[in-house]
Amino acid sequence: MSQILAIDYGRARCGLAVTDDMQIIASGLETVPTKEIFSFLKKYFQENAVGQIVVGLPTDLKGNLNEVEVEILKFLEKFKSQFPTVEIARFDERFTSKMASFFISQSGKSKKKREEKGLIDKVSATLILQNYLEQIKR
């Protein structure tokens, strides 16, 4: 089997999470500046077997798409052209940042570490991926 990689796409940075090769557990991977995401992915895909990515679908409480979706769609078009063999899935990312902040606050990390936006992005990507795994296993 291959890994599944989740991307919590943002204007400034992208949180990344990945499964193990058996696609059982989601783990935080990295936070990468958005402008460097393709160079990171190219290197990562050369070193690891990734068969699918899951990209967060940013919606509000009413289900309306967030304005960052326009940028995500551009990212996905470029992704398809650079990595045509990697499948793409979308998954609702509602509340993941709030949940990530809560889990980090419960982890015992220092206040400075808890407020680190990159950590929140990485944990958000992990939550997106774990929820996606749970959904596809049902």
Side-chain angles (χ1 to χ4, degrees):
M1 274 186 138
S2 58
Q3 297 176 352
I4 301 172
L5 183 127
I7 302 173
D8 181 26
Y9 187 93
R11 288 188 172 105
R13 71 200 152 268
C14 297
L16 304 173
V18 69
T19 65
D20 58 296
D21 289 337
M22 298 297 293
Q23 300 179 358
I24 297 170
I25 297 173
S27 301
L29 177 63
E30 190 70 57
T31 302
V32 177
T34 300
K35 64 182 186 264
E36 299 171 15
I37 189 66
F38 281 101
S39 59
F40 178 89
L41 292 174
K42 182 177 180 182
K43 184 174 189 284
Y44 190 82
F45 290 172
Q46 287 172 347
E47 299 169 359
N48 299 276
V50 176
Q52 182 179 37
I53 65 165
V54 178
V55 180
L57 186 63
T59 56
D60 63 18
L61 291 174
K62 295 180 181 177
N64 300 315
L65 290 172
N66 189 309
E67 66 272 357
V68 76
E69 177 65 9
V70 173
E71 294 172 43
I72 293 172
L73 291 174
K74 289 177 188 174
F75 162 79
L76 291 174
E77 282 304 312
K78 186 174 178 181
F79 182 91
K80 286 177 195 174
S81 69
Q82 289 195 20
F83 309 106
T85 61
V86 179
E87 291 179 41
I88 299 170
R90 301 296 303 275
F91 195 79
D92 187 350
E93 65 176 48
R94 232 177 304 193
F95 305 118
T96 55
S97 292
K98 288 188 187 321
M99 289 175 15
S101 295
F102 174 75
F103 291 138
I104 293 166
S105 74
Q106 299 299 304
S107 70
K109 300 224 182 271
S110 68
K111 182 173 170 115
K112 184 176 181 181
K113 191 72 173 169
R114 288 192 313 257
E115 293 173 348
E116 188 179 299
K117 293 193 185 313
L119 179 60
I120 293 170
D121 294 334
K122 183 167 59 171
V123 173
S124 293
T126 307
L127 291 169
I128 291 167
L129 186 52
Q130 191 62 50
N131 290 334
Y132 176 76
L133 289 174
E134 290 170 9
Q135 182 186 37
I136 63 172
K137 288 187 173 140
R138 285 186 202 146

